[in-house]
Amino acid sequence: MAPSVHYHCPCLSNSTTPPPPHLPSSSYSFHPLHTLFFCEECDAVRCNRCVSVEVSTYYCPNCLFEVPSASVRAEKNRFYLFVHKMPCNVLTRRRCARNCFMCPNCRNTLSVVPSDPPESGDGRLAVPISTVGEPPFFLYCNHCRWDSAEVGITFEKPTGLAAQLQKFEDSAPDSLEFERLKDHFEPFIRASSLSSSTTSHAVAHPSSAAHSHHLHSNSITAAASAALARDIPGVGKYNPLARSTSSRGIGVSGRDRSVNKDEMAEYRSRVEIAKASVVGTGGGDADVEFMRHLENVSEVASLDQRWENSWVTSLQTSDLKPLRIPLHSKRSKRCPACTHILIKPEQKAQSVRYKIKLVAANYLPAITVALPHAQKALTEAAKRTLGKSTSAVEDDKTPATGMVAGKTYPFHLALTNPLYDPIQVRLSPQRLNISTAPSKDGPPEKARRPPFVISLPTSTFPIAAFAEAWEYDDDEDMFGVEEGDDFGIRGGAREKDGRSTRSKTVGVLEKRANVTIVGGEVVIGKEAQGNVKFNTLVSYTYRSDDPAPSESNDGDGPSIPQGNKPPEVKTFAFYTVIDLGPIIPREDSKSVPDV
Amino acid sequence: MEPPIIYSKAEFIETDTGNKVSRRATIAGPQNIILGGKTIISSGAIIRGDLRRTGPGHAVVISLGRYCLVGEGCVMRPPYKTYRGNFNYYPMKIGDHVHIGANSVVEAATIGNHVEIGKNCVIGKFTIIKDCAKIADNTIVPPNTVIPALALFSGSPGRFVEDLPESTQEMVEAQTKQYYTRFQPSER
Ligand SMILES: [Zn+2]
Ligand SMILES: [Zn+2]
Ligand SMILES: [Zn+2]
Ligand SMILES: [Zn+2]
């Protein structure tokens, strides 16, 4: 994998320091810059894990028809109410009500085809497309060749298939059971949403829309948990949204006041599950019988093929029915702390524009990392094989790009300033105290020795302001080919960084337009293992043109007024994790017993 | 930061609008093909501008926008169907900033702007790919598939995997421009 730089999002955590780079939690806290948002109000980075999300439009990914979210809610949406505690799941469970169906076998989109005799001879196209032909029509998969006639579903006309199929669907046992469940719970939901203080609401949710959503799902959850508490003695009130309340439930008697309040009539299912197994749904004798006479594994529908069903279904491939296509959604995103909107897409489903788009890339300098020795090896390999096919190049380029234990390598960080003001940047690599190969048995002093040491320029360095003219558009020559192979070293000699011994490698190497390239160096220990991966704090200051410090939040970027400096200079700091790639163990180190 | 991608100067023809077309590519029916400018046609690519709708006059069969890349060994072929008993080809329209990886076969009807198609893909007949979508390497997209904006598709058949980030357009635009800039002739 190529070397990478990821950015930290604290996700409202009180701790400002990120997890150490070699822990698995690191990858949950660090993200590529282009996936992050920036809240001007809070002056903070936000990520997809911490923003709150609201649906603005639903649309069908196949016919691209937009479904206003209001009408989606009004529709009777089958069985999906009870997965409400997982909002994302709900979003993908809304189905296209038009003529869009998925192949139950392979998930490709199905086409409507007439019963015309298929064209033969030229072998070009077995099934004509959009031909107005002979009824009956059926749904056909042009990927795996499944067709709905196989399962006895045909249509008199090629339009309004959804309505024609509705009859099938409404009489399905899962649909009937759901209707029954809904009828059962509806009075309770209505009653509970009337009283404002229905459920304990431990999760403070500032957005009003999200709030009502939670209230709604809470009442359903409460209903479900009340039923659960009654049916299974000893299981208390289960409330996934409020952990603090759930703790008191376990072990405590079900005679809790809140449970009594949630009490409702017992639900009797339409079909008794013990009887259902007889007719071949859900592992009864009928299924055993079917399996006994099995001749071909493909007669059994795979779990993947049955996954979409909310009900126990037949095991047989021959019983698979066409699936309605789940709707997709466009989503707005809000800051979890101050609820300001960070992302607001245009209403039109297929537009890629946004009314509001506060992405971190417009505020934070973009940092890319490269290993000159690896790049040089790649370029050499490309030159050798110039004109040959790409596959020939792949083989002989890999060896020289790695980093071997016990050696020292330079690396380059290119920082690009997105702001219209110049910035001053300081890089502070976090000290690594723990070995990347933690060993219980090894001598403690050895385990404590860092596997590698990073050198980066310690002083601040400038990056020029972004200017539209520097966009590449008509300035191809910007990519100086004349820089050649030695541009790193040459640049290093030009700029001195106080560290005279390392001046050729560590320091500011190059400045062009709004990009500054700095050189660093990694000294890898003889016994080192794992990746050269380290956290680095990046802080930058910039002068704001804004005369009034109180109104500093109108679009130029982050702003933390510094106490001891003039108010127009602001500082922002963020953590990154820089991964230079894996360390190749030395040949001779293999004799050392490995952990 | 990224090193230049060096090509043999003798191999490529550069047009007035900055298109770079390999002499090792097969451009059939060039009068029916439009390249928007700064678009690269790599060696071994086959573009079938000759497969045009029957009838007099000449018609645009395949059009590509600006900053596109047709990778090595790609086949670009207009879609066809038999409608009311008549066999015919239909034009293929591709927007700006569209990269198609090596050895992919494309028979789409339309591909929007800022679309990435990986290596070794098959994009079936009459496929519609909307803006900022991405097709992962080795994906088989069956005929008539619609791929919505900002969606990542992968697999065989190609299925929706996830929504792409809000900044995809800027990312792809920067990447395609950078690719064109890095694509430099050797001195030889
Ligand atoms: Zn976060
Ligand atoms: Zn649809
Ligand atoms: Zn199929
Ligand atoms: Zn905020």
Side-chain angles (χ1 to χ4, degrees):
Chain A
M1 260 200 34
S4 65
V5 181
H6 285 182
Y7 289 60
H8 183 234
C9 175
C11 290
L12 303 180
S13 159
N14 291 325
S15 157
T16 47
T17 47
H22 57 277
L23 293 186
S25 55
S26 172
S27 60
Y28 291 96
S29 310
F30 286 95
H31 316 268
L33 175 62
H34 67 267
T35 64
L36 294 174
F37 314 103
F38 195 88
C39 179
E40 293 189 343
E41 209 66 25
C42 303
D43 201 35
V45 170
R46 303 290 181 218
C47 74
N48 276 310
R49 301 176 66 84
C50 60
V51 290
S52 32
V53 173
E54 292 158 30
V55 171
S56 55
T57 321
Y58 291 96
Y59 65 93
C60 170
N62 182 57
C63 64
L64 304 179
F65 191 73
E66 287 161 37
V67 187
S69 50
S71 87
V72 167
R73 250 159 233 159
E75 248 174 68
K76 59 169 180 177
N77 256 293
R78 300 185 170 73
F79 345 98
Y80 311 115
L81 224 56
F82 285 91
V83 288
H84 229 281
K85 55 190 173 196
M86 293 160 73
C88 323
N89 209 358
V90 175
L91 306 187
T92 56
R93 296 296 141 157
R94 316 284 182 178
R95 308 286 164 146
C96 181
R98 303 173 89 219
N99 281 351
C100 302
F101 294 94
M102 272 192 315
C103 174
N105 190 44
C106 76
R107 299 294 137 81
N108 180 31
T109 306
L110 296 170
S111 327
V112 191
V113 294
S115 313
D116 291 0
E119 282 173 56
S120 55
D122 62 354
R124 270 176 148 152
L125 193 62
V127 175
I129 296 155
S130 62
T131 306
V132 182
E134 302 259 307
F137 297 86
F138 55 94
L139 290 164
Y140 174 78
C141 173
N142 56 21
H143 186 75
C144 73
R145 306 199 169 188
W146 181 91
D147 74 66
S148 66
E150 282 174 28
V151 296
I153 296 176
T154 57
F155 305 90
E156 282 314 304
K157 48 191 173 68
T159 52
L161 302 189
Q164 294 183 59
L165 260 186
Q166 187 82 45
K167 281 171 274 170
F168 278 98
E169 292 169 338
D170 284 349
S171 59
D174 45 359
S175 187
L176 294 173
E177 192 72 57
F178 180 71
E179 285 304 314
R180 199 179 164 92
L181 270 169
K182 237 173 67 177
D183 292 345
H184 180 74
F185 282 118
E186 211 130 71
F188 173 78
I189 292 168
R190 211 176 297 121
S192 65
S193 53
L194 281 178
S195 64
S196 54
S197 62
T198 19
T199 39
S200 56
H201 208 272
V203 176
H205 221 293
S207 126
S208 61
H211 184 79
S212 65
H213 163 89
H214 273 174
L215 250 182
H216 180 53
S217 62
N218 257 3
S219 56
I220 294 162
T221 316
S225 62
L228 187 70
R230 190 192 51 238
D231 293 346
I232 308 165
V235 173
K237 193 177 158 76
Y238 168 66
N239 187 351
L241 294 169
R243 281 196 201 122
S244 56
T245 55
S246 71
S247 61
R248 84 184 161 175
I250 308 290
V252 179
S253 93
R255 304 212 172 276
D256 188 304
R257 252 181 302 141
S258 62
V259 173
N260 283 335
K261 195 182 73 183
D262 296 337
E263 199 64 67
M264 66 175 75
E266 193 180 338
Y267 177 73
R268 281 186 202 285
S269 60
R270 219 188 114 257
V271 182
E272 232 177 290
I273 196 67
K275 283 178 189 162
S277 66
V278 179
V279 291
T281 52
D285 290 344
D287 285 343
V288 173
E289 197 62 19
F290 163 66
M291 298 294 271
R292 195 172 279 150
H293 296 102
L294 201 64
E295 284 179 10
N296 195 329
V297 181
S298 64
E299 288 172 40
V300 183
S302 68
L303 183 59
D304 188 37
Q305 287 163 347
R306 288 179 283 142
W307 193 249
E308 289 288 317
N309 297 307
S310 57
W311 201 251
V312 279
T313 50
S314 160
L315 285 179
Q316 302 180 39
T317 313
S318 58
D319 285 341
L320 293 171
K321 300 281 189 291
L323 301 164
R324 286 181 192 248
I325 293 182
L327 297 184
H328 285 203
S329 64
K330 295 190 86 167
R331 280 146 297 180
S332 296
K333 295 177 180 175
R334 287 178 188 274
C335 173
C338 71
T339 77
H340 273 75
I341 291 184
L342 305 176
I343 292 290
K344 186 173 186 177
E346 275 192 0
Q347 199 69 16
K348 204 166 154 281
Q350 294 307 300
S351 165
V352 291
R353 296 212 189 115
Y354 295 84
K355 287 177 189 154
I356 297 171
K357 183 159 102 175
L358 298 172
V359 291
N362 292 339
Y363 296 86
L364 272 47
I367 304 172
T368 58
V369 60
L371 288 162
H373 79 279
Q375 283 197 341
K376 192 174 171 182
L378 289 176
T379 314
E380 292 295 307
K383 273 182 184 159
R384 271 202 304 281
T385 54
L386 194 62
K388 294 182 196 166
S389 77
T390 37
S391 52
V393 185
E394 303 281 342
D395 301 324
D396 53 294
K397 75 178 177 189
T398 27
T401 60
M403 289 177 296
V404 180
K407 289 198 169 187
T408 298
Y409 295 92
F411 61 91
H412 293 171
L413 294 177
L415 294 95
T416 308
N417 181 7
L419 305 179
Y420 291 97
D421 302 296
I423 57 174
Q424 292 283 333
V425 181
R426 182 191 289 274
L427 303 173
S428 327
Q430 227 180 15
R431 264 192 173 279
L432 200 72
N433 292 318
I434 312 144
S435 165
T436 48
S439 127
K440 281 174 196 161
D441 316 317
E445 69 272 20
K446 195 171 198 176
R448 208 162 286 166
R449 191 194 302 158
F452 55 84
V453 176
I454 299 293
S455 305
L456 276 169
T458 47
S459 53
T460 59
F461 55 87
I463 313 177
F466 170 79
E468 304 286 0
W470 283 332
E471 280 204 284
Y472 310 100
D473 225 341
D474 293 297
D475 187 16
E476 266 86 51
D477 298 326
M478 226 192 64
F479 237 92
V481 192
E482 80 281 355
E483 279 165 352
D485 297 322
D486 64 336
F487 82 100
I489 297 162
R490 212 183 49 204
R494 216 163 41 214
E495 286 272 340
K496 285 238 171 178
D497 186 45
R499 288 184 176 222
S500 51
T501 50
R502 292 189 196 274
S503 62
K504 286 205 190 302
T505 314
V506 178
V508 175
L509 303 181
E510 194 189 335
K511 287 179 220 162
R512 60 171 145 83
N514 58 332
V515 182
T516 295
I517 297 176
V518 298
E521 190 176 74
V522 56
V523 180
I524 305 174
K526 287 193 179 77
E527 312 299 331
Q529 290 178 33
N531 277 31
V532 178
K533 196 176 174 194
F534 54 98
N535 290 345
T536 299
L537 180 71
V538 181
S539 55
Y540 63 96
T541 57
Y542 67 100
R543 190 191 306 274
S544 169
D545 293 333
D546 200 336
S550 56
E551 293 176 62
S552 56
N553 284 322
D554 51 12
D556 273 341
S559 52
I560 301 170
Q562 285 225 322
N564 55 353
K565 285 188 179 170
E568 70 269 20
V569 174
K570 293 160 187 170
T571 298
F572 188 79
F574 59 93
Y575 271 100
T576 58
V577 66
I578 298 172
D579 190 351
L580 297 179
I583 298 165
I584 300 165
R586 294 194 315 171
E587 286 303 312
D588 58 350
S589 69
K590 277 181 182 164
S591 57
V592 178
D594 229 88
V595 189
Chain B
M1 195 70 174
E2 299 275 321
I5 300 154
I6 305 295
Y7 66 87
S8 155
K9 198 167 189 170
E11 192 197 316
F12 279 79
I13 305 162
E14 187 168 352
T15 68
D16 294 344
T17 49
N19 297 308
K20 295 182 176 185
V21 181
S22 169
R23 292 179 200 275
R24 298 189 199 196
T26 305
I27 313 290
Q31 71 279 8
N32 301 329
I33 298 170
I34 293 176
L35 302 181
K38 300 188 177 180
T39 280
I40 300 165
I41 311 293
S42 309
S43 84
I46 298 170
I47 302 187
R48 297 296 303 271
D50 57 322
L51 302 178
R52 66 186 207 82
R53 192 179 260 280
T54 49
H58 84 114
V60 176
V61 173
I62 296 175
S63 69
L64 284 123
R66 282 158 60 80
Y67 290 107
C68 291
L69 169 70
V70 178
E72 290 184 19
C74 280
V75 179
M76 311 285 289
R77 196 165 48 200
Y80 57 80
K81 68 179 169 188
T82 303
Y83 183 63
R84 295 185 193 270
N86 297 318
F87 176 88
N88 233 325
Y89 286 102
Y90 291 77
M92 179 194 294
K93 192 173 183 306
I94 296 174
D96 299 331
H97 304 284
V98 174
H99 271 206
I100 301 167
N103 301 313
S104 287
V105 178
V106 178
E107 296 186 294
T110 56
I111 298 177
N113 300 315
H114 305 99
V115 171
E116 285 178 89
I117 296 173
K119 286 184 268 190
N120 308 315
C121 292
V122 177
I123 310 297
K125 283 182 277 290
F126 296 103
T127 292
I128 295 170
I129 305 179
K130 305 301 269 185
D131 293 346
C132 299
K134 180 175 177 172
I135 319 293
D137 290 350
N138 310 311
T139 300
I140 309 297
V141 177
N144 306 309
T145 302
V146 177
I147 297 181
L150 287 161
L152 170 64
F153 265 57
S154 174
S156 172
R159 292 196 214 167
F160 173 80
V161 178
E162 63 177 8
D163 289 312
L164 293 166
E166 289 81 0
S167 53
T168 300
Q169 182 174 338
E170 291 84 344
M171 294 281 296
V172 173
E173 189 154 329
Q175 275 162 16
T176 55
K177 283 180 172 177
Q178 221 174 72
Y179 189 92
Y180 184 81
T181 310
R182 290 166 60 202
F183 196 71
Q184 293 288 340
S186 64
E187 289 78 35
R188 284 178 286 172

